Amino acid sequence: MSKCTSIIGGWSVGETGECYDGTVGFRIGPNGFKKAILEIHYDNPKLVSTYQDSSGLRLYYQPASDTVKDMFTMLTGQTMLVLPPGQSRIEKVGTCPSSCTSTLFKEKVYLNSATNHMHLIGEFFDPPIEVLPGDEIITTCVYNSASSKHYVYYGDGTSDEMCYGYLTMFPKSALKSTQQNCVSVSTLSACELAQGVAYNGCDWKTLIKANNTEVMKIKQDLENTCDVTKVCSSQCQATVQKISNTCFQGQTASFVKSLDSVSPEVYDVSKIVEKCQENGSNRISINTRSNYIPLFLCMAAVVKKIVL
């Protein structure tokens, strides 16, 4: 599973599938993809044992001519999501800056389609759109939490939220490497994350390594004073306030928790700190979303300072 780094297709509720016109496509066979994994996410919060599933995938293919251009899927978006309740509009932005597209592409590419994970197809253009190395790609997600009573964070579960854009582009030969990810975490772009750029004075690259002695000590102190299944007590709050590491202060704790490669102990500490800092809520336990409605997600390619 860890070797699967490319996305060749996806589906969500309301979609009918996607076909290409024969001039572009994802190559399969000796000179293309030889294996694929079908991943299906289920949501059964009430643990109903009688549910049955008959999901499947029907794949259509045809012989490729010499003129067919190979496609690739680029992932954009934002993974640092701290969404407070009672808000009619919350906007989160993920930027793939010009410095990143210059690193990703060695020549111009064409944007063929844009799809988001929130079950809405977003084609806001007449494809294909030319994208040059040095152009900027912005993904904007807007949420409505007016009827929610709890904070919602980034996560895989249905009670969590996401902000991703799936962009199909061609030709694949324009990629400088196999890197097809340009997802932001807060204000840091994918390129800055790859370089280990500090965030608000936090040396997260060192912090997230497993068995960090400082983190293990902080976690032990929190476990001695905090019950993660109940409210964030005054004793727990006092322990959180004593943490001097800048990585666990303010929104930086949410940033650290949003990183893909974070160690379990760093994640646990960040989660407790984050929950104790919620405005208007002192609960540490993981919240369940209540009618948390994503309004829309749109992808805009900024080409030569023109928003499309």
Side-chain angles (χ1 to χ4, degrees), residues 6-287:
S6 300
I7 300 172
I8 59 176
W11 177 89
S12 60
V13 176
E15 294 184 35
T16 57
E18 187 170 10
C19 291
Y20 303 107
D21 62 7
T23 62
V24 296
F26 292 94
R27 191 178 301 271
I28 60 176
N31 298 318
F33 291 102
K34 300 178 180 65
K35 295 181 180 180
I37 290 177
L38 174 63
E39 182 177 294
I40 302 175
H41 290 190
Y42 297 97
D43 181 45
N44 184 12
K46 296 183 179 180
L47 303 179
V48 179
S49 61
T50 56
Y51 285 160
Q52 294 184 351
D53 176 60
S54 59
S55 298
L57 173 69
R58 181 174 287 112
L59 184 66
Y60 296 93
Y61 63 94
Q62 65 182 24
S65 67
D66 294 336
T67 60
V68 171
K69 296 179 177 62
D70 290 276
M71 298 180 69
F72 64 94
T73 302
M74 183 173 172
L75 189 63
T76 63
Q78 174 64 254
T79 61
M80 183 174 162
L81 301 179
V82 181
L83 309 174
Q87 305 291 318
S88 60
R89 181 183 176 90
I90 306 170
E91 185 173 300
K92 297 295 181 179
V93 175
T95 301
C96 184
S98 58
S99 58
C100 275
T101 58
S102 295
T103 301
L104 292 169
F105 308 139
K106 59 186 177 183
E107 59 189 42
K108 65 182 176 183
V109 296
Y110 294 91
L111 177 61
N112 187 70
S113 66
T115 307
N116 67 55
H117 91 286
M118 289 189 287
H119 307 167
L120 298 173
I121 294 294
E123 290 195 11
F124 306 97
F125 50 82
D126 292 324
I129 287 180
E130 183 180 276
V131 181
L132 299 174
D135 286 344
E136 188 174 72
I137 302 172
I138 299 173
T139 305
T140 302
C141 303
V142 180
Y143 305 89
N144 176 5
S145 67
S147 59
S148 177
K149 298 180 180 179
H150 306 290
Y151 272 73
V152 176
Y153 302 93
Y154 170 85
D156 293 331
T158 301
S159 59
D160 305 314
E161 265 302 345
M162 288 186 175
C163 177
Y164 284 128
Y166 298 88
L167 314 182
T168 58
M169 295 178 161
F170 67 89
K172 191 175 182 179
S173 59
L175 288 171
K176 287 186 177 181
S177 67
T178 58
Q179 175 67 20
Q180 299 171 31
N181 184 326
C182 201
V183 177
S184 301
V185 181
S186 188
T187 57
L188 292 191
S189 67
C191 297
E192 291 171 320
L193 290 168
Q195 296 166 5
V197 174
Y199 178 81
N200 289 345
C202 168
D203 180 13
W204 58 269
K205 196 76 171 180
T206 300
L207 181 86
I208 63 176
K209 294 179 180 178
N211 301 318
N212 183 305
T213 55
E214 180 187 6
V215 175
M216 299 296 285
K217 175 63 168 59
I218 294 173
K219 182 182 178 183
Q220 185 62 55
D221 291 342
L222 290 173
E223 289 178 343
N224 290 337
T225 57
C226 302
D227 184 346
V228 297
T229 65
K230 298 181 180 179
V231 297
C232 184
S233 65
S234 58
Q235 188 178 14
C236 182
Q237 287 275 12
T239 304
V240 168
Q241 291 171 3
K242 290 179 181 178
I243 300 175
S244 60
N245 192 309
T246 56
C247 295
F248 297 120
Q249 295 179 2
Q251 286 198 348
T252 308
S254 297
F255 165 83
V256 170
K257 189 169 73 70
S258 302
L259 296 170
D260 286 337
S261 54
V262 65
S263 66
E265 53 268 21
V266 171
Y267 181 89
D268 290 342
V269 171
S270 300
K271 182 174 68 175
I272 293 175
V273 172
E274 182 181 63
K275 303 297 281 185
C276 277
Q277 292 178 152
E278 287 181 359
N279 293 328
S281 174
N282 63 350
R283 295 195 63 83
I284 297 177
S285 57
I286 298 175
N287 293 318

